[in-house]
Amino acid sequence: MEQLIQGLPDDIALECLIRLPYNHLSTASLVSPPWKLHLQLPLFLRHRKTAGFTTNVIVMAQSPPQTNTGKAIPLANSYRLTLFDPDSGSWSELPSLPGMNRGLPLYCGLVGVGSDLVVIGGYDLETWKSLNAVFIYNVVSATWRRGANIPGVRRSFFGCVSDSDRMVLVAGGHDGDKNALRSSLAYDVAKDEWLPLPDMSMERDGCKVVFQHEKFHVIGGYRTKTLGRFERSAEAFDVASWQWEHIKEDLLETSTCSRTCVVGDDGKLYMCREGDLVPWFKVAVLVIDSKGPEAYWSQCIGLVSDDT
């Protein structure tokens, strides 16, 4: 078998490769077939992570401004994905989704799963119809691939989040007739496979999903008959037992939209309320209202790790 680096044992060559910056790995995979093979192995990714050479990057959905009026105004319904590397302070724009040159589907779900960014559903900018498409961008290879379509009804305004490893939970939302949904699904990114879950205890349109303490928590949302009147409760799905647990009533202090909820690195839950960042009991979500370079209008959607 061809050596990774001529004249060096492969174990020493691998020690060199794990030290490559994540944004050079896609180019490095073109050097030779053995490099490409090893760079894509889960063992290589785990080795790099164990050695402490992984990097967290921030991916943002941003609307580039139009400046014909002399002011930076976001372009209506035109969103692109940009990547910020906190270590180097550099910004870059990700390639467009395949077949979606006008930008991201409106109101799509954006989730970071290890070294992948998963784009789920949303509205087609040409037809304004709800999509069941899934697109996956790998930060290491810098390429897009199609995932398996979302099964069942085409849902909008659903909640979604990942366990940061391989699973994504999609819950609630509404169907094409604006009926709020109790159903939920799990997506295994590694297997490219959707798994049906038991229904939630109630309909939850416009809900928020967070992953905390090894469980998926679905917060708030509203029912079909109470359009726009948000619930204050939450319920959790335990992956180990594959079932929903008891409902936590009155988790929210007021009946409000929970879309700004996030779990921080400290395991606490936070939300934005009346312009302030507010901690919730012993849970946390970190929402960053941030402006990128060149006066881009932006919404931070989360961290993606190169996990290598």
Side-chain angles (χ1 to χ4, degrees), residues 108-114 116-121 134-136 145 148 150-151 158-171 184-197 209-211 215-218 237 239 242 244:
C108 61
L110 302 171
V111 182
V113 188
D116 289 324
L117 174 69
V118 183
V119 180
I120 303 174
V134 175
F135 297 90
I136 304 165
R145 68 182 187 272
I150 310 169
F158 51 83
C160 63
V161 76
S162 83
D163 61 1
S164 298
D165 181 22
R166 61 184 294 161
M167 298 295 292
V168 176
L169 185 133
V170 172
S184 58
L185 301 162
Y187 178 54
D188 187 321
V189 179
K191 292 184 177 180
D192 190 27
E193 180 178 278
W194 286 93
L195 307 171
L197 303 182
V209 186
V210 299
F211 186 73
K215 297 177 183 178
F216 291 100
H217 300 262
V218 184
F237 183 78
V239 177
W242 208 251
W244 292 97

Side-chain angles (χ1 to χ4, degrees), residues 22-23 26 57 59 81-83 92-98 104 110-119 134-147 189 304-305:
Y22 79 91
N23 54 346
S26 59
V57 294
V59 179
L81 290 172
T82 56
L83 184 149
S92 59
E93 186 171 313
L94 301 188
S96 299
L97 274 67
L104 287 174
L110 302 171
V111 182
V113 188
S115 57
D116 289 324
L117 174 69
V118 183
V119 180
V134 175
F135 297 90
I136 304 165
Y137 181 81
N138 185 266
V139 176
V140 177
S141 64
T143 57
W144 285 101
R145 68 182 187 272
R146 278 296 302 268
V189 179
V304 178
S305 173

Side-chain angles (χ1 to χ4, degrees), residues 123-234:
Y123 287 98
D124 188 291
L125 296 178
E126 298 287 347
T127 64
W128 294 106
K129 291 183 178 180
S130 180
L131 300 171
N132 62 356
V134 175
F135 297 90
I136 304 165
Y137 181 81
N138 185 266
V139 176
V140 177
S141 64
T143 57
W144 285 101
R145 68 182 187 272
R146 278 296 302 268
N149 287 345
I150 310 169
V153 299
R154 298 197 177 196
R155 64 182 71 213
S156 306
F157 290 88
F158 51 83
C160 63
V161 76
S162 83
D163 61 1
S164 298
D165 181 22
R166 61 184 294 161
M167 298 295 292
V168 176
L169 185 133
V170 172
H174 63 250
D175 62 18
D177 295 321
K178 307 298 182 183
N179 295 309
L181 301 171
R182 295 174 54 196
S183 59
S184 58
L185 301 162
Y187 178 54
D188 187 321
V189 179
K191 292 184 177 180
D192 190 27
E193 180 178 278
W194 286 93
L195 307 171
L197 303 182
D199 285 348
M200 297 181 290
S201 64
M202 65 177 68
E203 302 164 351
R204 293 186 182 274
D205 193 359
C207 59
K208 175 68 178 187
V209 186
V210 299
F211 186 73
Q212 183 199 31
H213 305 318
E214 304 303 317
K215 297 177 183 178
F216 291 100
H217 300 262
V218 184
I219 304 170
Y222 51 83
R223 311 184 196 209
T224 305
K225 294 182 179 180
T226 57
L227 180 64
R229 195 172 73 200
F230 289 89
E231 301 288 335
R232 296 167 59 188
S233 64

